[in-house]
């Protein structure tokens, strides 16, 4: 086999999809969230910390725009920013996350001032933004392919939240129900974009590495949350 | 006088507007362009080089988005990218510049492959994009305040081109006629944004410095063009 040759499309896609094994759906913290083991305080901490990730997504997407020389691709990618920031005040994915945070009992103020933000979460999310600001746009786009793995997780999450945390008002779940609607199309479009523009084996492997990096970012967010919430649970259970 | 105190709005705006003296409308190359002294080849070289600036504007604007933490401001700024990239293929300010390039007799290919691009023009434009990628968003926005000075220049240019270069088809001038329509509103909105968000004297002075820097960028673009086209004229005039 020629080490320098382009991977076949099927092989390239298979290597990307294989990273689903490292997707954060199987992280212990998500398993505890989905099985109803978290306290209300834990759920609040999760919502407040995940906000920082939501808040930084448009910055990451704008960094991709800023690195991408092709107007056609920028035009398509711009919709990601509009999705999160909203077409008007009070709209958009970020606002839906704030409504979830309110539905779990947080004030908007304590989310926005980031008083609950864990350093490990901040560092992981910042690493993702820095990646998008410094790496070729294609790799940053490939990093976003975790959205290929997301729809199943979000369907599971909505069901789990209704079952185990019935105190969360239904409209707090709008973030997830609307993500379920858009991520399959986004994931498929992103995959096509990556496959089309990764024109050397080196680029293909860099895209696979970028997606692995993104899995690490998401995983590290939950590590930080798991560490703090487990510690609290242990303390609460001690005599 | 307290050196550390905030400039009054009027003083701050006056310092920004004073930089009009360094705006590229008075550059020798623009004076030669507007007085009809350029050859067709000079006009082509100008159009091909200025394309690189046009091409990089959306990258600069996306870098501002990527550095700006406020969704409200991103939402407003996003329209700049759409203006240049267009809402659909073949639309937008960049495409209008390409039509001007074609109207002066260049093929789209020789513009897009940048074969006529002068190193001095590339370095100046790249410096502007790098500024936007590395400086606070407010300074990059302030750098764009050259649009305050632009409407007069563009009206003058359209008239001069019709008069001195009648071989340029009228629809080649669409770039300028549509810029004349939008820049007064853009300039005014940008000025308000800068005045509102420059909340310390240090930030105000950084904004003035950013606009001076931008004047240098534009001026350097024309220096490079003037140097090459003057040289050619001298050679042509020698015995």
């Amino acid at each position: 086999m020629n080490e320098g040759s382009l991977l076949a499309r099927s092989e390239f896609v298979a290597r990307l999809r294989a990273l689903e094994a490292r997707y954060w759906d199987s992280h212990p913290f998500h398993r505890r969230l989905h099985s109803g083991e978290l306290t209300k305080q834990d759920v609040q901490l999760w919502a407040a910390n995940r906000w920082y990730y939501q808040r930084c997504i448009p910055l990451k997407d704008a960094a991709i725009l800023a690195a991408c020389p092709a107007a056609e691709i920028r035009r398509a990618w711009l919709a990601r920013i509009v999705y999160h920031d909203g077409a008007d005040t009070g709209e958009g994915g970020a606002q839906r996350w704030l409504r979830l945070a309110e539905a779990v009992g947080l004030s908007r103020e304590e989310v926005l001032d980031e008083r609950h933000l864990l350093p490990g979460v901040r560092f992981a999310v910042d690493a993702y933004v820095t990646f998008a600001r410094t790496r070729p746009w294609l790799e940053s786009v490939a990093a976003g392919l975790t959205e290929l793995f997301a729809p199943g997780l979000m369907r599971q999450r909505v069901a789990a939240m209704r079952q185990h945390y019935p105190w969360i008002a239904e409209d707090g779940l709008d973030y997830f129900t609307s993500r379920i609607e858009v991520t399959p199309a986004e994931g498929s479009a992103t995959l096509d974009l990556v496959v089309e523009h990764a024109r050397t084996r080196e680029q293909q492997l860099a895209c696979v590495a970028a997606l692995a990096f993104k899995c690490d970012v998401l995983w590290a967010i939950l590590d930080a949350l798991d560490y703090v919430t487990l510690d609290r649970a242990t303390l609460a259970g001690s005599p």
Side-chain angles (χ1 to χ4, degrees), chain A residues 6 18 33 59 66 71-72 117 131 133 140 151 157 192 196 202 217 220 231 239:
Chain A
L6 198 67
L33 171 64
L59 300 177
E72 287 295 322
L117 182 56
F131 186 96
R133 284 181 177 155
S140 307
R157 173 162 308 151
D192 288 345
E196 183 189 344
E202 186 184 22
V217 166
D231 186 54

Side-chain angles (χ1 to χ4, degrees), chain A residues 2-216:
Chain A
N2 179 352
E3 277 306 315
S5 65
L6 198 67
L7 299 174
R9 181 192 165 104
S10 60
E11 170 64 17
F12 181 34
V13 171
R15 289 199 194 189
L16 292 166
R17 287 198 181 274
L19 287 165
E20 186 160 9
R22 287 168 63 179
Y23 188 54
W24 65 354
D25 58 347
S26 58
H27 190 285
F29 184 86
H30 270 163
R31 287 211 304 265
R32 289 166 62 225
L33 171 64
H34 293 171
S35 62
E37 292 169 49
L38 297 190
T39 65
K40 182 171 181 176
Q41 197 181 2
D42 294 339
V43 173
Q44 289 178 341
L45 191 70
W46 164 72
N49 274 272
R50 170 72 183 264
W51 160 253
Y52 188 68
Y53 176 65
Q54 301 309 128
R55 173 169 108 62
C56 290
I57 287 176
L59 300 177
K60 178 270 295 181
D61 285 321
I64 290 173
L65 280 194
C68 177
E72 287 295 322
I73 298 170
R74 286 198 299 266
R75 193 177 295 129
W77 207 260
L78 203 84
R80 307 293 180 112
I81 300 175
V82 175
Y83 179 86
H84 285 283
D85 279 347
D88 214 333
T89 309
E91 297 179 1
Q95 291 295 318
R96 283 191 287 274
W97 192 273
L98 286 177
R99 285 201 289 278
L100 170 61
E102 290 175 319
V104 304
L106 295 164
S107 72
R108 196 164 274 239
E109 186 192 0
E110 72 187 301
V111 178
L112 295 178
D113 71 13
E114 300 172 3
R115 74 183 71 164
H116 303 297
L117 182 56
L118 300 170
V121 172
R122 182 191 294 278
F123 300 152
V125 172
D126 287 355
Y128 187 32
V129 176
T130 299
F131 186 96
R133 284 181 177 155
T134 54
R135 304 292 303 170
W137 68 269
L138 182 65
E139 293 177 32
S140 307
V141 166
L145 281 171
T146 43
E147 67 199 6
L148 282 176
F149 316 139
L153 172 62
M154 284 189 290
R155 270 188 291 270
Q156 183 188 359
R157 173 162 308 151
V158 168
M161 292 193 123
R162 286 176 182 145
Q163 181 185 351
H164 297 298
Y165 311 97
W167 49 271
I168 303 176
E170 180 64 24
D171 65 0
L173 303 179
D174 280 357
Y175 177 84
F176 298 113
T177 51
S178 50
R179 286 304 289 161
I180 290 169
E181 285 166 25
V182 302
T183 45
E186 280 188 1
S188 160
T190 306
L191 185 62
D192 288 345
L193 191 64
V194 168
V195 169
E196 183 189 344
H197 291 274
R199 287 169 185 157
T200 66
R201 183 188 182 90
E202 186 184 22
Q203 287 178 317
Q204 290 176 321
L205 298 182
C207 287
V208 173
L211 182 52
F213 158 80
K214 170 69 178 302
C215 289
D216 288 346

